[in-house]
Coordinates of all heavy atoms in Angstrom, one line a residue:
M19 N 26.3 37.7 -28.6 CA 27.6 38.1 -28.1 C 28.6 37.0 -28.0 O 29.7 37.2 -28.4 CB 27.3 38.7 -26.7 CG 28.5 39.2 -26.0 SD 29.0 40.8 -26.8 CE 30.4 41.2 -25.8
L20 N 28.2 35.9 -27.6 CA 29.1 34.7 -27.5 C 29.5 34.3 -28.9 O 30.7 33.9 -29.1 CB 28.4 33.6 -26.7 CG 29.3 32.4 -26.4 CD1 30.6 32.8 -25.6 CD2 28.6 31.3 -25.7
S21 N 28.6 34.3 -29.8 CA 28.9 33.8 -31.2 C 29.9 34.8 -31.9 O 30.7 34.4 -32.6 CB 27.7 33.6 -32.0 OG 27.0 34.8 -32.2
S22 N 29.7 36.1 -31.6 CA 30.6 37.1 -32.2 C 32.0 36.9 -31.6 O 33.0 37.1 -32.2 CB 30.1 38.5 -32.0 OG 30.0 38.8 -30.7
F23 N 32.1 36.6 -30.3 CA 33.4 36.4 -29.6 C 34.1 35.2 -30.2 O 35.3 35.2 -30.4 CB 33.2 36.3 -28.1 CG 34.5 35.9 -27.4 CD1 35.5 36.9 -27.2 CD2 34.7 34.7 -26.9 CE1 36.6 36.6 -26.6 CE2 35.9 34.4 -26.2 CZ 36.9 35.4 -26.1
A24 N 33.3 34.1 -30.4 CA 33.9 32.9 -31.0 C 34.4 33.1 -32.4 O 35.5 32.6 -32.8 CB 32.8 31.8 -31.0
S25 N 33.7 33.9 -33.2 CA 34.2 34.1 -34.5 C 35.4 35.0 -34.5 O 36.3 34.8 -35.3 CB 33.1 34.8 -35.4 OG 32.7 36.1 -34.8
I26 N 35.5 36.0 -33.6 CA 36.7 36.8 -33.5 C 37.9 36.0 -33.0 O 39.0 36.2 -33.5 CB 36.4 38.0 -32.6 CG1 35.4 39.0 -33.2 CG2 37.7 38.8 -32.2 CD1 34.9 40.1 -32.3
A27 N 37.6 35.1 -32.1 CA 38.7 34.3 -31.6 C 39.2 33.3 -32.6 O 40.4 33.0 -32.7 CB 38.2 33.5 -30.3
A28 N 38.3 32.8 -33.4 CA 38.7 31.9 -34.5 C 39.5 32.6 -35.6 O 40.4 32.0 -36.2 CB 37.4 31.3 -35.1
E29 N 39.2 33.9 -35.8 CA 40.0 34.6 -36.8 C 41.3 35.0 -36.3 O 42.3 35.1 -37.0 CB 39.2 35.9 -37.2 CG 38.0 35.7 -38.0 CD 37.2 37.0 -38.3 OE1 37.8 38.1 -38.0 OE2 36.1 36.9 -38.8
A30 N 41.4 35.2 -34.9 CA 42.7 35.6 -34.4 C 43.7 34.5 -34.3 O 44.9 34.7 -34.3 CB 42.5 36.1 -32.9
V31 N 43.2 33.2 -34.3 CA 44.1 32.1 -34.3 C 44.5 31.8 -35.7 O 43.7 31.4 -36.5 CB 43.4 30.9 -33.6 CG1 44.3 29.6 -33.7 CG2 43.0 31.2 -32.2
H32 N 45.8 31.9 -36.0 CA 46.3 31.5 -37.3 C 47.4 30.5 -37.1 O 48.1 30.5 -36.1 CB 46.8 32.7 -38.1 CG 47.8 33.5 -37.4 ND1 47.5 34.5 -36.4 CD2 49.1 33.6 -37.5 CE1 48.6 35.0 -35.9 NE2 49.6 34.5 -36.6
H33 N 47.6 29.7 -38.1 CA 48.5 28.6 -38.0 C 49.9 29.0 -38.6 O 49.9 29.4 -39.7 CB 47.9 27.4 -38.8 CG 48.8 26.1 -38.7 ND1 48.9 25.4 -37.5 CD2 49.5 25.5 -39.6 CE1 49.7 24.4 -37.7 NE2 50.1 24.4 -39.0
N34 N 50.9 28.8 -37.8 CA 52.3 29.1 -38.3 C 52.9 27.8 -38.7 O 52.9 26.8 -37.9 CB 53.1 29.8 -37.2 CG 52.7 31.2 -37.0 OD1 52.1 31.8 -37.8 ND2 53.0 31.7 -35.8
E35 N 53.5 27.8 -39.8 CA 54.2 26.6 -40.2 C 55.6 26.5 -39.6 O 56.3 27.5 -39.4 CB 54.4 26.6 -41.8 CG 53.2 26.4 -42.5 CD 52.6 25.0 -42.4 OE1 53.4 24.0 -42.3 OE2 51.4 24.8 -42.3
L36 N 56.0 25.3 -39.2 CA 57.3 25.1 -38.7 C 58.4 25.2 -39.8 O 58.1 24.9 -40.9 CB 57.4 23.7 -38.0 CG 56.6 23.5 -36.8 CD1 56.6 22.1 -36.3 CD2 57.0 24.5 -35.6
P37 N 59.6 25.7 -39.5 CA 60.6 25.8 -40.5 C 61.1 24.5 -41.0 O 61.6 24.4 -42.1 CB 61.7 26.6 -39.8 CG 61.4 26.6 -38.4 CD 60.0 26.3 -38.2
V38 N 61.0 23.4 -40.1 CA 61.5 22.1 -40.5 C 60.4 21.1 -40.1 O 59.6 21.4 -39.2 CB 62.8 21.7 -39.9 CG1 63.9 22.6 -40.4 CG2 62.8 21.8 -38.4
P39 N 60.4 19.9 -40.6 CA 59.5 18.9 -40.1 C 59.6 18.6 -38.6 O 60.7 18.7 -38.1 CB 59.8 17.6 -40.9 CG 60.5 18.1 -42.1 CD 61.2 19.4 -41.7
P40 N 58.6 18.2 -37.9 CA 58.7 17.9 -36.5 C 59.7 16.9 -36.1 O 60.3 17.0 -35.0 CB 57.3 17.5 -36.1 CG 56.4 18.0 -37.1 CD 57.2 18.0 -38.4
W41 N 60.0 15.9 -36.9 CA 60.9 14.8 -36.5 C 62.4 15.4 -36.4 O 63.2 14.8 -35.7 CB 60.8 13.6 -37.4 CG 61.2 13.9 -38.8 CD1 60.3 14.3 -39.8 CD2 62.5 13.9 -39.5 NE1 60.9 14.5 -41.0 CE2 62.3 14.3 -40.8 CE3 63.7 13.6 -39.0 CZ2 63.3 14.4 -41.7 CZ3 64.8 13.7 -39.9 CH2 64.6 14.1 -41.2
V42 N 62.6 16.5 -37.1 CA 64.0 17.1 -37.1 C 64.3 17.6 -35.7 O 65.4 17.6 -35.2 CB 64.1 18.2 -38.2 CG1 65.4 18.9 -38.1 CG2 63.9 17.6 -39.5
Y43 N 63.2 18.2 -35.0 CA 63.4 18.7 -33.7 C 63.8 17.5 -32.7 O 64.7 17.7 -31.8 CB 62.2 19.4 -33.1 CG 61.9 20.7 -33.9 CD1 60.9 20.8 -34.8 CD2 62.7 21.8 -33.6 CE1 60.7 22.0 -35.5 CE2 62.5 23.0 -34.2 CZ 61.5 23.1 -35.2 OH 61.2 24.3 -35.8
G44 N 63.2 16.4 -32.9 CA 63.5 15.2 -32.1 C 64.9 14.7 -32.3 O 65.6 14.3 -31.4
L45 N 65.3 14.7 -33.6 CA 66.7 14.3 -34.0 C 67.7 15.2 -33.4 O 68.7 14.8 -32.9 CB 66.8 14.2 -35.5 CG 68.1 13.7 -36.1 CD1 68.4 12.3 -35.7 CD2 68.1 13.9 -37.6
F46 N 67.4 16.5 -33.5 CA 68.3 17.5 -32.9 C 68.5 17.3 -31.4 O 69.6 17.4 -30.9 CB 67.8 18.9 -33.3 CG 68.7 20.0 -32.7 CD1 69.9 20.3 -33.3 CD2 68.3 20.8 -31.7 CE1 70.8 21.3 -32.8 CE2 69.1 21.8 -31.2 CZ 70.3 22.1 -31.7
A47 N 67.4 17.1 -30.7 CA 67.4 16.9 -29.3 C 68.2 15.6 -29.0 O 69.0 15.6 -28.0 CB 66.0 16.8 -28.7
L48 N 68.0 14.6 -29.7 CA 68.8 13.3 -29.5 C 70.3 13.6 -29.7 O 71.1 13.1 -29.0 CB 68.3 12.3 -30.5 CG 68.9 10.9 -30.3 CD1 68.5 10.3 -29.0 CD2 68.4 10.0 -31.5
L49 N 70.7 14.3 -30.7 CA 72.1 14.6 -31.0 C 72.7 15.5 -29.9 O 73.8 15.2 -29.4 CB 72.2 15.3 -32.3 CG 72.0 14.5 -33.6 CD1 72.0 15.3 -34.8 CD2 73.0 13.3 -33.6
V50 N 71.9 16.4 -29.4 CA 72.4 17.2 -28.3 C 72.6 16.4 -27.0 O 73.7 16.5 -26.3 CB 71.5 18.4 -28.0 CG1 71.8 19.1 -26.7 CG2 71.5 19.4 -29.1
F51 N 71.7 15.5 -26.7 CA 71.9 14.7 -25.5 C 73.0 13.7 -25.7 O 73.7 13.3 -24.8 CB 70.6 13.9 -25.2 CG 69.5 14.8 -24.5 CD1 68.3 15.0 -25.1 CD2 69.8 15.5 -23.4 CE1 67.3 15.8 -24.5 CE2 68.9 16.3 -22.8 CZ 67.6 16.4 -23.3
A52 N 73.2 13.2 -26.9 CA 74.3 12.3 -27.2 C 75.7 13.0 -27.0 O 76.6 12.4 -26.5 CB 74.2 11.7 -28.6
M53 N 75.7 14.3 -27.4 CA 77.0 15.0 -27.2 C 77.2 15.3 -25.7 O 78.4 15.2 -25.3 CB 76.9 16.3 -28.0 CG 77.1 16.2 -29.5 SD 77.3 17.7 -30.5 CE 76.1 18.8 -29.8
M54 N 76.2 15.6 -25.0 CA 76.3 15.8 -23.6 C 76.7 14.5 -22.9 O 77.5 14.5 -21.9 CB 75.0 16.3 -23.0 CG 74.7 17.7 -23.4 SD 73.2 18.6 -22.7 CE 72.3 17.4 -21.9
L55 N 76.3 13.4 -23.3 CA 76.7 12.1 -22.8 C 78.2 11.8 -23.1 O 78.9 11.3 -22.3 CB 75.8 10.9 -23.3 CG 76.2 9.6 -22.8 CD1 75.9 9.5 -21.3 CD2 75.4 8.5 -23.6
G56 N 78.6 12.2 -24.3 CA 80.0 12.1 -24.6 C 80.9 13.0 -23.7 O 82.0 12.5 -23.3
V57 N 80.5 14.2 -23.4 CA 81.2 15.0 -22.5 C 81.3 14.4 -21.1 O 82.3 14.4 -20.5 CB 80.6 16.5 -22.5 CG1 81.2 17.3 -21.4 CG2 80.8 17.1 -23.8
L58 N 80.2 13.9 -20.7 CA 80.1 13.2 -19.4 C 81.1 12.1 -19.3 O 81.8 11.9 -18.3 CB 78.7 12.7 -19.1 CG 78.5 12.0 -17.8 CD1 78.6 13.0 -16.6 CD2 77.1 11.3 -17.8
F59 N 81.2 11.2 -20.4 CA 82.1 10.1 -20.4 C 83.5 10.5 -20.5 O 84.4 9.8 -20.1 CB 81.7 9.1 -21.5 CG 80.7 8.1 -21.0 CD1 79.4 8.2 -21.4 CD2 81.1 7.0 -20.3 CE1 78.5 7.3 -21.0 CE2 80.2 6.1 -19.8 CZ 78.8 6.2 -20.2
A60 N 83.8 11.7 -21.1 CA 85.1 12.2 -21.2 C 85.7 12.5 -19.9 O 86.9 12.4 -19.7 CB 85.2 13.4 -22.2
F61 N 84.9 13.0 -19.0 CA 85.4 13.4 -17.6 C 85.1 12.3 -16.6 O 85.2 12.5 -15.4 CB 84.7 14.7 -17.2 CG 85.2 15.9 -17.9 CD1 84.5 16.4 -19.0 CD2 86.4 16.4 -17.6 CE1 84.9 17.5 -19.7 CE2 86.9 17.5 -18.3 CZ 86.2 18.1 -19.3
R62 N 84.8 11.1 -17.0 CA 84.6 10.0 -16.1 C 85.9 9.6 -15.5 O 86.9 9.5 -16.1 CB 84.0 8.8 -16.9 CG 83.6 7.6 -16.1 CD 82.9 6.6 -17.0 NE 83.8 6.3 -18.1 CZ 84.4 5.1 -18.3 NH1 84.1 4.1 -17.5 NH2 85.2 4.8 -19.3
Q63 N 85.9 9.4 -14.2 CA 87.0 9.0 -13.4 C 88.1 10.1 -13.4 O 89.3 9.8 -13.1 CB 87.6 7.7 -13.9 CG 86.7 6.5 -13.7 CD 86.5 6.1 -12.3 OE1 87.4 6.2 -11.5 NE2 85.3 5.6 -12.0
A64 N 87.8 11.3 -13.7 CA 88.8 12.4 -13.7 C 89.3 12.7 -12.3 O 90.4 13.1 -12.1 CB 88.2 13.6 -14.4
A65 N 88.4 12.6 -11.3 CA 88.8 13.0 -10.0 C 89.9 12.0 -9.4 O 90.7 12.4 -8.6 CB 87.6 13.0 -9.1
T66 N 89.8 10.7 -9.8 CA 90.8 9.8 -9.3 C 92.1 9.9 -10.1 O 93.1 9.3 -9.6 CB 90.2 8.4 -9.5 OG1 89.9 8.1 -10.8 CG2 89.0 8.2 -8.6
K67 N 92.2 10.6 -11.1 CA 93.4 10.7 -11.9 C 94.3 11.8 -11.3 O 95.5 11.9 -11.7 CB 93.2 11.0 -13.4 CG 92.5 9.8 -14.1 CD 92.2 10.1 -15.5 CE 91.4 8.9 -16.1 NZ 91.0 9.3 -17.5
I68 N 93.7 12.7 -10.5 CA 94.5 13.8 -9.9 C 95.1 13.3 -8.7 O 94.5 12.8 -7.7 CB 93.5 15.0 -9.6 CG1 92.9 15.5 -10.9 CG2 94.3 16.1 -8.9 CD1 91.8 16.5 -10.6
P69 N 96.5 13.3 -8.6 CA 97.1 12.8 -7.4 C 96.8 13.7 -6.2 O 96.9 14.9 -6.2 CB 98.6 12.9 -7.7 CG 98.7 13.7 -8.9 CD 97.4 13.8 -9.6
A70 N 96.5 13.0 -5.1 CA 96.2 13.7 -3.8 C 96.7 12.8 -2.7 O 96.9 11.6 -2.9 CB 94.7 13.9 -3.7
P71 N 96.9 13.3 -1.5 CA 97.4 12.5 -0.4 C 96.5 11.3 -0.1 O 97.0 10.3 0.3 CB 97.5 13.5 0.8 CG 97.5 14.8 0.2 CD 96.8 14.7 -1.1
H72 N 95.3 11.4 -0.3 CA 94.4 10.3 0.1 C 94.3 9.2 -1.0 O 93.8 8.2 -0.7 CB 93.0 10.8 0.4 CG 92.2 11.3 -0.7 ND1 92.4 12.6 -1.2 CD2 91.3 10.8 -1.5 CE1 91.7 12.8 -2.3 NE2 91.0 11.7 -2.5
N73 N 94.8 9.5 -2.2 CA 94.7 8.4 -3.2 C 96.0 8.0 -3.8 O 96.0 7.5 -4.9 CB 93.7 8.9 -4.3 CG 94.2 10.1 -5.1 OD1 95.2 10.6 -4.9 ND2 93.4 10.5 -6.1
T74 N 97.1 8.4 -3.2 CA 98.4 8.0 -3.7 C 99.1 7.1 -2.6 O 98.8 7.2 -1.4 CB 99.3 9.2 -4.0 OG1 99.4 10.0 -2.9 CG2 98.7 10.0 -5.2
V75 N 100.1 6.4 -3.0 CA 100.9 5.6 -2.1 C 102.3 6.1 -2.1 O 102.9 6.3 -3.1 CB 100.9 4.1 -2.6 CG1 101.7 3.2 -1.7 CG2 99.4 3.6 -2.6
A76 N 102.8 6.3 -0.9 CA 104.2 6.8 -0.8 C 105.1 5.6 -0.9 O 105.1 4.7 0.0 CB 104.4 7.5 0.6
H77 N 105.9 5.5 -1.9 CA 106.7 4.3 -2.1 C 108.1 4.5 -1.4 O 108.8 3.5 -1.3 CB 107.0 4.1 -3.6 CG 105.7 3.7 -4.3 ND1 105.2 2.4 -4.2 CD2 105.0 4.4 -5.2 CE1 104.1 2.4 -4.9 NE2 103.9 3.5 -5.6
D78 N 108.5 5.7 -1.0 CA 109.8 5.8 -0.4 C 109.7 5.9 1.1 O 110.7 6.1 1.8 CB 110.4 7.1 -0.9 CG 109.6 8.4 -0.6 OD1 108.4 8.2 -0.3 OD2 110.1 9.5 -0.7
D79 N 108.5 5.6 1.7 CA 108.4 5.6 3.1 C 108.6 4.2 3.7 O 107.8 3.3 3.6 CB 106.9 6.0 3.5 CG 106.7 6.2 5.0 OD1 107.8 6.3 5.7 OD2 105.6 6.1 5.4
H80 N 109.8 3.9 4.2 CA 110.2 2.6 4.7 C 110.4 2.8 6.2 O 111.4 3.3 6.7 CB 111.5 2.1 4.1 CG 111.4 1.9 2.7 ND1 110.7 0.8 2.2 CD2 111.9 2.5 1.6 CE1 110.8 0.8 0.8 NE2 111.5 1.9 0.5
G81 N 109.4 2.3 7.0 CA 109.5 2.4 8.4 C 110.2 1.2 9.0 O 110.7 0.3 8.3
H82 N 110.3 1.2 10.3 CA 111.0 0.1 11.0 C 110.2 -1.2 11.0 O 110.8 -2.2 11.0 CB 111.3 0.5 12.5 CG 112.3 1.7 12.6 ND1 113.6 1.6 12.2 CD2 112.1 3.0 13.0 CE1 114.2 2.7 12.4 NE2 113.3 3.6 12.9
D83 N 108.9 -1.1 10.9 CA 108.1 -2.3 10.9 C 107.9 -2.9 9.6 O 107.4 -4.0 9.5 CB 106.7 -1.9 11.5 CG 106.0 -0.8 10.8 OD1 106.6 -0.1 10.0 OD2 104.7 -0.7 11.0
V84 N 108.4 -2.2 8.5 CA 108.3 -2.8 7.2 C 109.5 -3.6 6.9 O 110.6 -3.1 7.1 CB 108.1 -1.6 6.1 CG1 108.1 -2.2 4.7 CG2 106.9 -0.8 6.4
G85 N 109.3 -4.8 6.4 CA 110.4 -5.7 6.2 C 111.1 -5.3 4.8 O 110.6 -4.5 4.1
D86 N 112.3 -5.9 4.6 CA 113.0 -5.6 3.4 C 112.4 -6.5 2.3 O 112.6 -7.7 2.2 CB 114.5 -5.9 3.6 CG 115.3 -5.5 2.4 OD1 114.8 -4.6 1.6 OD2 116.5 -6.0 2.2
H87 N 111.7 -5.8 1.4 CA 111.0 -6.6 0.4 C 111.6 -6.4 -1.0 O 111.1 -6.7 -2.0 CB 109.5 -6.2 0.3 CG 109.2 -4.8 0.1 ND1 109.3 -3.9 1.1 CD2 108.9 -4.1 -1.0 CE1 109.0 -2.7 0.6 NE2 108.8 -2.8 -0.7
H88 N 112.8 -5.8 -1.1 CA 113.5 -5.6 -2.4 C 114.4 -6.7 -2.7 O 115.2 -7.3 -2.1 CB 114.2 -4.3 -2.4 CG 113.3 -3.1 -2.3 ND1 112.6 -2.7 -3.4 CD2 113.0 -2.3 -1.3 CE1 111.9 -1.7 -3.1 NE2 112.1 -1.4 -1.8

């Protein structure tokens, strides 16, 4: 019984060929990660480029305690 099961299992397993060589999959993954890294670097420091009250300096605010520096 066990030998017949092994022969049936061996017949059921068939080898499928890959459409491209295996190193092409690695190259494709490397290219995808490189493109994602490029997108990440494109948006680097993007939050600090948006003017907001906490990251801008008011140049027209001259109080009484500020000396005449012009």
